[in-house]
Amino acid sequence: MPVELTPTAAHGFAGSLEAAEVGPLLITRVTQSAVTTVATPDTIRRHGKYETLNVAITLKGRVFSAQDDRTAIQNPGDIVVMDRRPAVMGSDGDTQTLFIEMPRACLERALGSTRRFTALTIGADQVGTSMVTTFFQELARTAGQMTPDMANRMASIGVDLVVASIAERLAHEPPRNIQGILIFQRALAHIEANLGDVNLDPAQLAAAVGVSLRHLQTLFREQDRNIADWIWRRRLESAAQRLTDPGFSHLSVGELAYSCGFSTQSHFSRRFKESYGLSPSDYRRAPGIAG
């Protein structure tokens, strides 16, 4: 990925990079001398991977991280999450870091906006952190031996471990609007359980969780989300997953669209192509697409 990199060691820069793909995850082990790495608005635009983020596990050395008005230091075994926004990472000595690039939606669905936890040190002393480190190191080592189906399953387990570790860390943060967070989480759960309801909209959602629409909109804005956009996004993501799932191959495109909350096949096809660049039928037939 393009970044602005400035060596800070007197002897210049030395580094190596090893990468492995495991399902939807890209795992990269970077070994390098002292360096400052900056992600700027320009490099982020050139990178273009707005739908992913990086989970960084420090294996050797000490790393400094800064993003979203938060700064932190990671020692060996610590984890930090960095999103596709301006950020700085640096070190004053040799380091080795394991980067896991994963879909942001996997974390946001469970934890809310990434601004809650970017550049927040998830310490090696937590129960789940060492499990995350061990799991991903072994996953990278054995990536070439896995079938595509096994790789996808292992990637899903890895994401769940990361989510659990972040949730554990957030539990130690000073309490903020606890009631608002609980309402927001209930709203997300209601959306997931009712994606197939064609009548699900912001007003119905607000009624279901027992608050005014205006209050619910405020809670979603605090998490950098729009209610209607999130409902449609989750419907499209659910449809995309089902289009490539053999368990749903018996459903026509129209039946699948209706099961994901679309009232007409034409509306579904138009919105799906706008988001994925292919019609639902072409997406279902395309080789190499994983749900």
Side-chain angles (χ1 to χ4, degrees), residues 193-209:
N194 294 274
L195 286 175
D197 182 357
V198 296
N199 296 312
L200 178 63
D201 61 12
Q204 189 207 68
L205 179 63
V209 297

Side-chain angles (χ1 to χ4, degrees), residues 52-56 65-67 80-84 87-89 118-119:
T52 65
L53 47 70
N54 262 324
V55 176
S65 306
Q67 187 173 60
V80 68
V81 179
M82 307 299 285
D83 206 343
R84 306 307 187 189
V88 178
M89 295 188 77
T118 47

